[in-house]
Amino acid sequence: MNQVVANPPEKVNLLDFDRRGLRDFFTQIGEKPYRAEQVMKWIYHDLEDNFENMTDVGKALRAKLTEVCYIGAPKTLLNKVATDGTHKWLLGMDSGNAIETVYIPEPTRGTLCVSSQIGCALNCGFCSTGAQGFNRNLSTAEIIGQVWVAAKQLGNVTHQNRRITNVVMMGMGEPLANFDNVVRAMHLMRDDLGFGLASKRVTLSTAGMVPLIDQLSAQIDVSLAVSLHAANDELRTELMPINKRYPIADLLAACDRWIARKPRTSITFEYTLMKGVNDQPEHARQLIKLMRKLPTCKVNLIPFNPFPGTQYQRSDANDIHDFQTRLLNAGVLTMLRRTRGDDIDAACGQLAGQVTDRTRRSADIRKRQDEGALHAS
Ligand code: SAH
């Protein structure tokens, strides 16, 4: 007779729940929901992952929790520190994949740049994550786990005096393409019993998934950044294929609706400056014209960060200066993002991790690069 042995039920990772989910889970296992809040505080304020150390949780409950669930952040494969103090973590996922998380210390704040996907499906030609292809979305635990791991490793400061003051969803992936998990993780970043960051200090950056921008503003209060990179459709489509689906006019209309819903907020437009591609006076004029329609918004100029195999180059310092001056003279709020951590490839667009590409795009790109090298020789 065949004997069927039931598998023990899979343990649940508590990092996958926001506060509401955690309360529901505690109810399901026959506990009072306020216990969930006690445990949440241990997880996010004390960065505790061992139930046995949660001293105000009764012994019986601690034993029960150990049996049915766990607190599982991603594994650190590597923690590199750049000469300017920037940290880059390589965090292991399943099947040999890995993602990257970056911490950027500045005198008055510390910003953590968090990934939302293993790779990215959007294929923006100037981004090294895009060149890696796409594997899968990260779970809520894998997203909030990046903040947890970084907070723990940056160490020795109290919750009130924390080193991570800002989180930007600007790492690997398109966060809006992993909507539910990203929103749940951002609720944990904002929650007082989570990391307790104000809405201004949690920013989601999108390549412009228009319908999801509207959904986002309806579901959570965070700040928005939009990757623009070109102020005319022809060039933007060349740089960012998503522009075919959601052209500039549609994107700006979504930005108008965002501001109408959140009148006191501003949107940051990211514009990566690539030599001879989008950094000329005519491009500045086009951008100024576009920004006139969004007078409360800002432009963040990013000098292009090179990566192996790219066809693009960083703009010359003179052109960067000229571009910024034109915008400033026209009254556009413009910042130039300093390149941080480039001795450890931790700058914008350089995050590559280790991605088992399911789209075959990286193979195609490598093939084109090899052919290009052949033609060039
Ligand atoms: N997918 C989202 C989140 C990525 S954020 C988005 O597109 O907004 C990372 C930012 O760095 C984006 O503005 C992206 O366009 C920009 N970027 C990508 N590659 C870059 C590179 N090589 N140099 C400088 N900036 C780059």
Side-chain angles (χ1 to χ4, degrees):
M1 199 176 81
N2 283 340
Q3 215 182 354
V4 180
V5 180
N7 283 326
E10 286 250 324
K11 281 195 188 185
V12 168
N13 190 351
L14 294 190
L15 297 187
D16 268 321
F17 295 124
D18 58 12
R19 191 196 298 215
R20 201 191 311 158
L22 204 59
R23 285 172 62 97
D24 290 349
F25 175 72
F26 271 65
T27 309
Q28 261 175 39
I29 62 168
E31 297 295 332
K32 295 264 186 320
Y34 83 88
R35 291 282 180 200
E37 290 170 0
Q38 239 175 338
V39 169
M40 195 169 160
K41 204 156 162 269
W42 277 107
I43 300 176
Y44 297 104
H45 289 195
D46 302 299
L47 305 173
E48 185 55 70
D49 59 357
N50 183 349
F51 296 117
E52 283 311 313
N53 296 336
M54 300 184 179
T55 44
D56 59 356
V57 177
K59 217 171 165 194
L61 177 53
R62 294 200 311 249
K64 184 180 196 174
L65 290 174
T66 307
E67 205 173 300
V68 298
C69 55
Y70 66 106
I71 297 158
K75 269 195 311 288
T76 301
L77 302 180
L78 215 65
N79 174 4
K80 281 196 200 171
V81 187
T83 46
D84 66 5
T86 301
H87 284 244
K88 182 169 84 167
W89 289 272
L90 186 69
L91 302 176
M93 302 287 134
D94 54 359
S95 328
N97 288 297
I99 52 139
E100 293 181 334
T101 306
V102 174
Y103 175 71
I104 306 150
E106 285 171 294
T108 56
R109 62 180 174 188
T111 304
L112 193 73
C113 181
V114 167
S115 294
S116 55
Q117 298 182 309
I118 302 180
C120 185
L122 294 189
N123 202 9
C124 300
F126 53 89
C127 177
S128 78
T129 306
Q132 296 274 307
F134 177 69
N135 185 275
R136 67 167 172 84
N137 282 334
L138 295 181
S139 66
T140 302
E142 290 164 338
I143 299 168
I144 200 65
Q146 295 170 59
V147 189
W148 194 91
V149 166
K152 189 139 175 133
Q153 294 188 17
L154 290 166
N156 76 18
V157 258
T158 61
H159 176 63
Q160 282 74 20
N161 198 4
R162 58 199 152 211
R163 293 183 63 183
I164 299 170
T165 62
N166 295 58
V167 175
V168 293
M169 296 300 309
M170 293 188 186
M172 296 167 67
E174 165 52 44
L176 289 184
N178 182 12
F179 191 87
D180 291 342
N181 293 341
V182 166
V183 168
R184 216 174 288 128
M186 291 194 305
H187 275 302
L188 288 165
M189 295 169 198
R190 299 252 11 246
D191 198 313
D192 285 343
L193 294 180
F195 289 106
L197 302 176
S199 58
K200 273 193 175 163
R201 295 179 176 275
V202 177
T203 301
L204 179 141
S205 177
T206 178
M209 302 190 80
V210 164
L212 295 173
I213 293 177
D214 290 307
Q215 265 193 46
L216 185 70
S217 69
Q219 291 201 14
I220 189 167
D221 196 10
V222 290
S223 301
L224 183 67
V226 172
S227 293
L228 191 63
H229 309 310
N232 73 73
D233 277 318
E234 195 187 342
L235 180 58
R236 192 165 189 272
T237 300
E238 191 185 311
L239 297 172
M240 306 177 72
I242 194 177
N243 193 66
K244 244 181 286 174
R245 184 119 168 250
Y246 303 116
I248 294 174
D250 293 4
L251 179 57
L252 296 188
C255 292
D256 278 338
R257 292 192 294 275
W258 178 279
I259 292 166
R261 283 207 197 99
K262 304 173 188 283
R264 282 199 303 273
T265 61
S266 150
I267 297 173
T268 302
F269 289 91
E270 294 152 287
Y271 195 101
T272 294
L273 287 164
M274 289 166 259
K275 185 174 182 162
V277 174
N278 64 351
D279 64 350
Q280 295 302 300
E282 66 188 276
H283 301 118
R285 279 194 289 276
Q286 290 167 2
L287 182 56
I288 289 165
K289 203 164 152 209
L290 188 149
M291 292 305 294
R292 290 234 162 86
K293 296 183 207 131
L294 294 156
T296 59
C297 296
K298 296 183 283 227
V299 171
N300 207 336
L301 297 175
I302 314 171
F304 174 71
N305 294 308
F307 54 90
T310 180
Q311 56 171 312
Y312 298 105
Q313 289 172 291
R314 180 175 295 184
S315 301
D316 293 335
N318 287 344
D319 287 338
I320 295 176
H321 180 74
D322 180 69
F323 199 95
Q324 184 182 20
T325 309
R326 281 172 193 274
L327 264 66
L328 288 172
N329 288 345
V332 179
L333 291 167
T334 310
M335 305 277 289
L336 178 63
R337 196 181 288 175
R338 271 195 312 139
T339 294
R340 296 291 303 263
D342 57 354
D343 55 333
I344 55 168
D345 287 343
C348 305
Q350 291 184 320
L351 302 189
Q354 291 159 15
V355 178
T356 313
D357 182 15
R358 291 174 189 263
T359 63
R360 292 179 45 79
R361 185 171 352 109
S362 54
D364 292 345
I365 289 170
R366 268 198 300 278
K367 194 163 154 240
R368 278 206 304 279
Q369 280 165 6
D370 291 347
E371 283 166 4
L374 272 180
H375 291 151
S377 62

